[in-house]
Amino acid sequence: MSTVVVYKSKYGSAKRYAEWIAEELGADLRNADETEVKDLAPYDTVIYGAGIYIGCIAGIALIANNFRQLKNKSVIVFTVGVTDPEEKRRTEDLLLKNFTPEMMKKIRVFHLRGALDYNKLGLVYKLMMKKEKIEEVDEVRKEELLPLFAYLDSPKTKTVAPILPAEGSTKIYDTPRLTIETRHVHLPNGKDRNYLFVQPVPAVCILPTDEEHVYLIRQYRAVINEYILEVPAGGMDHAGETPLQCAKRELAEEARFSAKEFVPRGHIYSTPGFCTEKLWLFEARGLNPCEDCARDEDEIIDVVQVKKNEVFGMIARGEIVDAKTIALLTRVLAKVNTD
């Protein structure tokens, strides 16, 4: 699936979000001021992002005025503003003002919080913000994009039809946390094959950090009968839980920390040859002890402080062998000097 991310940015927030989206998806990135509808023709998915000014999405004419040429594509719009994304009334008013009912059925819209620096605002906008008692926001945060990334990962947004259980599929094991079954699959190349599908709930991994250290856990794993160093991690097995909510819970339960900031570090698939498990990655900053947090009875865990400049040496020597831990450490520390 080919994707382009188009942005129109006045103060920089929409551009920053667009850069993060393009990086995560491996998509092309374009400035709306240098883009015409003909430039969007080669793409299956068009993601447009811009700020909101007096109820209007900046530059949205590129999408709205050319909707008929885009309606066979997947179109996603993200807006950037200073209002709370959970204020549904304002969001609904915004949609009604910028899109026709036909467009609203087709276009998926996400509202993101933008940075707000009063020193950069003109007098009119400054007075409006103060009247609404809207506080300054130092910088945009990547975790705002998690609902958008989750939507893009949904089977409904894939260009290849999702693989569904076919006649003859056999369920071997079924619990709320894990399902195992065999399926007869029709592949994109026209071939048919039987596959084993191992389907655990999605999970999160969290790397707690401070200026000089990372914090791992030394945990006993009964399946391999060893203690190994890992990042805190766990499944999203609480009803309605988001990746961020799960990350906060698992950090408290396993590492006995709370954190002021959770920085999204993308995702990985643990073993895609037979397993659907998706792991959301986070870095936790601004740590505070949480000594009264409860652990599961089967978790035998000690927290281990490791200097950042020693991590890759430990990986090279085989002292850290857990794959998800190595992946997250690499995402966070790849630019840290390891000399």
Side-chain angles (χ1 to χ4, degrees), residues 173-237:
Y173 184 77
D174 189 18
T175 71
R177 291 178 60 96
L178 176 67
T179 299
I180 303 174
E181 63 185 22
T182 58
R183 293 187 191 176
H184 185 72
V185 177
H186 184 70
L187 299 172
N189 65 0
K191 304 292 185 180
D192 289 343
R193 292 288 185 273
N194 290 321
Y195 282 89
L196 180 70
F197 277 64
V198 178
Q199 302 168 91
V201 295
V204 302
C205 306
I206 315 99
L207 179 64
T209 68
D210 60 27
E211 188 172 342
E212 296 183 357
H213 304 92
V214 299
Y215 295 84
L216 305 178
I217 58 174
R218 189 183 305 278
Q219 182 167 202
Y220 176 71
R221 291 298 192 181
V223 173
I224 58 174
N225 191 29
E226 287 186 28
Y227 284 88
I228 62 173
L229 288 173
E230 303 180 43
V231 290
M236 294 167 54
D237 49 11

Side-chain angles (χ1 to χ4, degrees), residues 10-277:
K10 185 173 183 179
Y11 298 110
S13 295
K15 180 181 179 182
R16 190 70 188 100
Y17 281 128
E19 290 171 340
W20 278 331
I21 295 169
E23 179 183 359
E24 176 75 14
L25 302 179
D28 291 341
L29 182 67
R30 297 186 64 99
N31 188 325
D33 294 334
E34 302 168 358
T35 302
E36 299 178 10
V37 68
K38 65 181 181 181
D39 299 318
L40 308 180
Y43 299 98
D44 301 304
T45 299
V46 176
I47 302 175
Y48 181 85
I52 303 169
Y53 304 99
I54 316 180
C56 295
I57 304 171
I60 196 61
L62 177 66
I63 303 298
N65 292 355
N66 299 291
F67 179 69
R68 293 195 179 279
Q69 294 168 259
L70 301 173
K71 67 178 184 179
N72 291 326
K73 302 179 184 295
S74 176
V75 180
I76 298 166
V77 172
F78 69 87
T79 62
V80 180
V82 294
T83 58
D84 188 339
E86 299 300 322
E87 290 189 35
K88 293 185 178 181
R89 181 186 61 79
R90 292 195 181 191
T91 301
E92 291 171 357
D93 290 346
L94 180 71
L95 295 178
L96 290 170
K97 190 170 184 177
N98 289 271
F99 301 115
T100 66
E102 181 186 6
M103 293 176 191
M104 285 191 283
K105 291 179 182 178
K106 174 68 177 177
I107 299 173
R108 186 69 165 85
V109 180
F110 295 85
H111 181 60
L112 311 176
R113 288 294 294 268
L116 177 62
D117 183 349
Y118 275 93
N119 293 325
K120 294 182 179 180
L121 297 179
L123 179 60
V124 174
Y125 285 112
K126 188 179 295 186
L127 292 174
M128 289 174 59
M129 296 301 104
K130 288 186 176 180
K131 182 179 179 181
E132 294 287 334
K133 298 181 180 179
I134 296 175
E135 297 180 355
E136 289 187 292
V137 178
D138 292 335
E139 59 184 14
V140 295
R141 300 175 64 174
K142 194 175 181 181
E143 65 189 51
E144 291 272 343
L145 292 169
L146 287 175
L148 188 151
F149 288 147
Y151 170 76
L152 287 169
D153 194 57
S154 166
K156 293 181 180 179
T157 65
K158 306 293 186 183
T159 56
V160 177
I163 299 172
L164 301 174
E167 185 177 352
S169 295
T170 303
K171 191 165 288 187
I172 301 170
Y173 184 77
D174 189 18
T175 71
R177 291 178 60 96
L178 176 67
T179 299
I180 303 174
E181 63 185 22
T182 58
R183 293 187 191 176
H184 185 72
V185 177
H186 184 70
L187 299 172
N189 65 0
K191 304 292 185 180
D192 289 343
R193 292 288 185 273
N194 290 321
Y195 282 89
L196 180 70
F197 277 64
V198 178
Q199 302 168 91
V201 295
V204 302
C205 306
I206 315 99
L207 179 64
T209 68
D210 60 27
E211 188 172 342
E212 296 183 357
H213 304 92
V214 299
Y215 295 84
L216 305 178
I217 58 174
R218 189 183 305 278
Q219 182 167 202
Y220 176 71
R221 291 298 192 181
V223 173
I224 58 174
N225 191 29
E226 287 186 28
Y227 284 88
I228 62 173
L229 288 173
E230 303 180 43
V231 290
M236 294 167 54
D237 49 11
H238 289 208
E241 194 171 46
T242 66
L244 179 58
Q245 290 168 338
C246 183
K248 292 179 178 179
R249 176 174 59 78
E250 290 293 344
L251 180 66
E253 290 177 1
E254 296 197 350
R256 304 290 177 88
F257 284 127
S258 62
K260 293 181 180 179
E261 183 180 12
F262 286 79
V263 182
R265 295 294 185 178
H267 67 270
I268 59 172
Y269 292 99
S270 59
T271 45
F274 63 89
C275 181
T276 63
E277 183 179 45

Side-chain angles (χ1 to χ4, degrees), residues 271-290:
T271 45
F274 63 89
C275 181
T276 63
E277 183 179 45
K278 180 175 184 176
L279 301 169
W280 295 93
L281 308 179
F282 291 89
E283 177 188 359
R285 299 174 178 172
L287 304 176
N288 289 302
C290 180

